Amino acid sequence: RMFGKRVGLLAGLMAATAPILVIESKLAITDATLTFHLVACQFSLWELAKRPSKWIAGVFWVALAAATLTKGPVGPLLIALAGLVSWWWGGPTECWRRLRWKWGLAGFTLLTAPWFIAVGIISKGDFYRVAMGYHVIRRMTTGIETHGGFPGYYLVGSLGVFYPWVALLPVAIFAAWSRRRSNPALGFVLGWVVGPWIFLECISTKIIHYFLPAYPACALLAAWAVDTVARSEVNLRRWPLGRVSIALLTGTGIGATVALLAGSFVLPPGLRWPCVALALVMGPGTLYAMERFQAGATLRATQSLVATWAALLLIAWTWLLPAAEPYRIAPIVGRRLATLVKAEKAAPMMGAFKPPDVIYYLGQPATVLESRPRLREQARELGLIAAPLTPGEYKVLQKDPDLVIEVRDTIEGFNVERFRNDTIHLVLIRPSASALARQSKKSNVQ
């Protein structure tokens, strides 16, 4: 609706064949749900920019409340940052005045407050200490769970997770920036992309799916650029940064093809033929799209990339991932942790290593290892804890005189989230005799 039906269709096809959007929609994490709610918020804002509507304003506040219940204050924060940059760069402003703030805030509070009050009472305040102290403040100030990152992390990361459409973003962003004053939709979408990006680059903990709510806007920009170039009947290379886009498309595609072919030699036997199939699709598909872009057949090139990546994702989902299942470390850790918890009647706990698959195969909730002082308290309260620890965590905790750490199993395997081989120790954690003696003495004194 922002740029017309053809751009909307192209953006939908790009989103449907973008690796990160496909993968995150299948994982048991909240970021895909958050993205759904925030897209509803952005859609409502755009519609309100064109006309007042109490129903659309209501959709905005309901979606914002759902985003807040999904992942706390990050949803409203991302919307506010996107709106600020959008206003700065010429996006529509009427939408903010049409939100019916009095009734909207009342409805937002009515939807969110009961849950936040109830969880605060039930958890005796622990929810807020963990949610705000650990998951908000600590993530912003330190790189927790081995998820630190370098400046420009999301730009570099997008080359892998939003390819091939990321290759079109240099020309799309430059063209949108140049035309933002004459087309408010461009300022709106640029704000949607750039506002969250600036904020996420400034915080210490960096994970690529934090940027997920902005990728639909990236797809819109890429689709708009393709449509605009096609209508101008000019070779993409003649546009500013068009050569950069072609180079990114070609270089990344060839590099990924070579990596897949190399994987067919070094990976376990069950993964070799899927890698060969992926390489045979990616290489020719990328080269054909590059040739079509250079020939000025922009729509044909885009259609070929859609077909190529639909085939790649189909092969990956139906062949590569099932073949990789025996080598993935998360399901192995989850199953063995479940066995250990049941056999020892221990309380499960997760440290830095906590992919969603572990919780799925564990089959029950698990507490989070926040800090050593808190772990000492939990060990005294729970008596016996079973946890998967990274070698670094194990090295630190085994030196703690108040804890006894017993390694029951060591697992090596491939970590899909980090795209590397990992080693995980399954351990039992209990308070040391000296810690129990001090606690008993303290209780007797009281």
Side-chain angles (χ1 to χ4, degrees):
R1 293 174 68 89
M2 290 182 187
F3 303 111
K5 291 183 178 180
R6 186 161 78 169
V7 172
L9 177 60
L10 285 172
L13 291 172
M14 289 176 178
T17 52
I20 188 168
L21 290 170
V22 174
I23 292 169
E24 295 293 335
S25 69
K26 301 296 182 183
L27 294 179
I29 57 178
T30 56
D31 295 272
T33 305
L34 176 68
T35 298
F36 173 80
H37 296 318
L38 294 187
V39 168
C41 288
Q42 296 286 22
F43 171 80
S44 300
L45 288 173
W46 178 252
E47 291 299 308
L48 287 172
K50 297 189 294 183
R51 66 188 188 280
S53 170
K54 63 180 181 181
W55 298 109
I56 295 177
V59 170
F60 173 88
W61 289 108
V62 170
L64 192 66
T68 305
L69 290 171
T70 299
K71 210 165 183 181
V74 66
L77 179 60
L78 293 180
I79 289 294
L81 291 169
L84 181 62
V85 176
S86 171
W87 163 79
W88 182 21
W89 286 351
T93 57
E94 298 85 355
C95 52
W96 299 100
R97 293 193 293 270
R98 295 169 177 170
L99 279 175
R100 297 175 176 258
W101 287 88
K102 180 180 178 180
W103 294 104
L105 288 173
F108 176 86
T109 303
L110 185 64
L111 289 171
T112 58
W115 188 88
F116 283 111
I117 292 171
V119 74
I121 294 172
I122 293 171
S123 67
K124 298 179 181 179
D126 280 352
F127 171 81
Y128 294 102
R129 179 178 55 78
V130 175
M132 297 303 297
Y134 182 82
H135 287 290
V136 176
I137 297 174
R138 194 174 172 193
R139 283 179 187 272
M140 292 177 66
T141 56
T142 60
I144 66 173
E145 301 170 6
T146 69
H147 290 305
F150 49 87
Y153 170 88
Y154 292 98
L155 295 179
V156 175
S158 294
L159 285 174
V161 301
F162 196 62
Y163 184 84
W165 313 118
V166 67
L168 298 172
L169 290 182
V171 66
I173 290 174
F174 185 88
W177 168 264
S178 303
R179 296 164 171 78
R180 71 191 188 284
R181 297 299 180 187
S182 60
N183 187 347
L186 295 174
F188 182 85
V189 179
L190 283 172
W192 187 353
V193 174
V194 176
W197 172 72
I198 292 174
F199 167 71
L200 293 173
E201 286 288 358
C202 290
I203 67 175
S204 297
T205 299
K206 292 180 171 63
I207 307 176
I208 195 62
H209 60 236
Y210 285 177
F211 195 58
L212 190 68
Y215 281 119
C218 293
L220 276 171
L221 279 176
W224 170 80
V226 166
D227 183 66
T228 306
V229 172
R231 291 180 186 278
S232 68
E233 299 182 351
V234 175
N235 188 311
L236 179 64
R237 293 166 61 92
R238 296 182 177 274
W239 279 55
L241 299 183
R243 293 177 183 272
V244 174
S245 290
I246 293 293
L248 282 175
L249 175 67
T250 308
T252 306
I254 292 175
T257 302
V258 172
L260 287 168
L261 289 174
S264 67
F265 289 97
V266 301
L267 291 176
L271 301 179
R272 292 175 183 174
W273 285 112
C275 285
V276 171
L278 289 170
L280 291 177
V281 173
M282 177 176 284
T286 301
L287 292 176
Y288 177 77
M290 178 196 66
E291 187 275 330
R292 290 291 83 198
F293 275 125
Q294 291 180 332
T298 306
L299 280 178
R300 176 70 67 180
T302 304
Q303 292 165 357
S304 71
L305 285 176
V306 168
T308 297
W309 276 87
L312 287 169
L313 291 169
L314 181 63
I315 293 171
W317 219 259
T318 60
W319 192 2
L320 179 64
L321 291 182
E325 191 66 21
Y327 308 102
R328 291 178 57 231
I329 191 171
I332 300 172
V333 171
R335 285 191 287 262
R336 295 190 189 179
L337 179 62
T339 301
L340 182 62
V341 166
K342 183 177 180 180
E344 300 293 338
K345 298 181 180 179
M349 178 177 288
M350 306 303 297
F353 180 82
K354 49 175 177 285
D357 284 4
V358 175
I359 302 298
Y360 175 80
Y361 286 99
L362 175 61
Q364 66 182 84
T367 56
V368 177
L369 197 166
E370 304 169 35
S371 63
R372 288 171 63 184
R374 178 58 180 156
L375 178 59
R376 297 187 194 107
E377 295 176 8
Q378 291 171 312
R380 290 194 297 268
E381 294 169 0
L382 300 173
L384 186 62
I385 295 171
L389 300 181
T390 64
E393 289 175 316
Y394 172 68
K395 184 177 180 180
V396 171
L397 293 180
Q398 71 173 345
K399 297 178 182 178
D400 193 314
D402 289 341
L403 299 172
V404 175
I405 312 294
E406 178 187 354
V407 177
R408 283 301 188 88
D409 197 359
T410 298
I411 303 167
E412 295 183 359
F414 186 70
N415 185 347
V416 173
E417 285 194 336
R418 305 294 291 175
F419 205 74
R420 69 184 186 192
N421 286 320
D422 270 343
T423 300
I424 297 296
H425 300 299
L426 284 186
V427 305
L428 291 175
I429 304 173
R430 55 172 59 89
S432 66
S434 59
L436 290 174
R438 285 198 306 272
Q439 181 65 22
S440 178
K441 184 178 181 180
K442 183 177 178 182
S443 299
N444 292 333
V445 170
Q446 292 175 347

